[in-house]
């Protein structure tokens, strides 16, 4: 699956966001920005609201880092609104939910469960050039961690802003980075 380093494919999806009318989102809307596409199987489910709430707790921080967040499922934007209006956890979320009932986004990112019509539990981080820098796909019963996602985005932003530097395992903002060279081979 050679998706890392590939450019996001064209799409149009109708979004629901608290306090706003429905609106369309395309790949053009993320040009020049960092974006997270946070796929989940379906509205009105069990693990999904815990993940979406966890991500919501990091939303203001992600916004301050210049990152836009899009939750994506194959439900409609109407279903997203109904879930928002009836769920305490979902009702407090401020980021956009994209309806992917035509399954274009799920197919574009390679996460559509064939014959099922649902997206896998998957996260993609897209850089300001529209290039996919990070991806994570987990099985149905394993929820994701927004703290780890935020750490990975900080690392990707650091690497982009500091050519020639890389972030080692468990790197946290402000920690030492590495400058790959022959001098380091076999010494780390």
């Amino acid at each position: 699956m050679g998706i890392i380093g590939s450019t996001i494919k064209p799409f149009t999806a109708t979004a629901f966001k608290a306090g706003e009318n429905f609106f369309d989102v395309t790949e053009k809307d993320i040009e020049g920005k960092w974006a997270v596409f946070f796929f989940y199987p379906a509205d009105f489910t069990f693990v999904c609201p815990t993940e979406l709430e966890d991500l919501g707790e990091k939303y203001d921080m992600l916004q301050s880092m210049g990152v836009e967040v899009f939750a994506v499922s194959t439900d409609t934007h109407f279903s997203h609104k109904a879930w928002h209006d009836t769920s305490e956890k979902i009702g407090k979320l401020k980021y956009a939910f994209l309806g992917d009932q035509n399954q274009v986004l799920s197919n574009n990112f390679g996460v559509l469960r064939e014959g099922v019509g649902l997206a896998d539990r998957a996260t993609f981080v897209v850089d300001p050039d529209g290039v996919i820098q990070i991806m994570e796909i987990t099985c149905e019963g394993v929820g994701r961690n927004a703290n780890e996602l935020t750490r990975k985005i900080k690392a990707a932003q650091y690497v982009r802003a500091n050519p020639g530097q890389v972030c080692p395992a468990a790197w946290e903002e402000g920690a030492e980075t590495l400058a790959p060279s022959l001098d380091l081979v076999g010494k780390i």
Side-chain angles (χ1 to χ4, degrees):
M1 182 186 264
I3 197 163
I4 296 293
S6 66
T7 302
I8 190 170
K9 295 178 183 176
F11 73 91
T12 300
T14 303
F16 166 76
K17 187 173 184 178
E20 296 185 27
N21 293 322
F22 297 129
F23 56 97
D24 286 340
V25 175
T26 73
E27 74 284 354
K28 301 281 187 207
D29 294 312
I30 65 163
E31 287 180 357
K33 304 173 189 172
W34 286 87
V36 170
F37 289 86
F38 198 82
F39 288 86
Y40 63 96
D43 292 350
F44 299 99
T45 55
F46 312 102
V47 174
C48 300
T50 66
E51 292 184 303
L52 294 165
E53 180 183 39
D54 184 47
L55 183 58
E57 290 171 5
K58 297 292 182 200
Y59 182 62
D60 289 338
M61 177 189 292
L62 290 167
Q63 288 277 279
S64 73
M65 294 165 51
V67 180
E68 192 50 70
V69 174
F70 300 98
V72 186
S73 76
T74 56
D75 298 293
T76 68
H77 53 288
F78 297 113
S79 179
H80 294 329
K81 181 177 181 346
W83 197 24
H84 177 273
D85 291 349
T86 59
S87 168
E88 183 180 330
K89 287 182 184 302
I90 302 305
K92 61 185 174 184
L93 301 178
K94 298 185 265 181
Y95 51 80
F97 283 70
L98 301 181
D100 188 33
Q101 67 273 16
N102 60 10
Q103 303 171 347
V104 169
L105 277 164
S106 299
N107 274 311
N108 283 358
F109 283 94
V111 297
L112 183 66
R113 294 183 199 166
E114 203 166 313
V116 179
L118 301 176
D120 284 322
R121 198 173 299 290
T123 309
F124 296 88
V125 176
V126 179
D127 74 15
D129 296 320
V131 176
I132 298 169
Q133 295 296 332
I134 297 169
M135 67 180 274
E136 175 185 20
I137 302 174
T138 66
C139 65
E140 178 72 25
V142 177
R144 293 160 282 181
N145 182 319
N147 286 327
E148 177 60 6
L149 174 61
T150 303
R151 185 196 72 79
K152 288 177 185 177
I153 294 169
K154 287 178 181 180
Q157 289 179 332
Y158 181 89
V159 168
R160 180 180 171 92
N162 296 278
Q165 296 290 308
V166 295
C167 297
W171 178 87
E172 294 288 342
E173 189 172 30
E176 286 189 39
T177 58
L178 301 172
S181 70
L182 287 176
D183 296 339
L184 292 178
V185 175
K187 294 181 181 175
I188 296 179

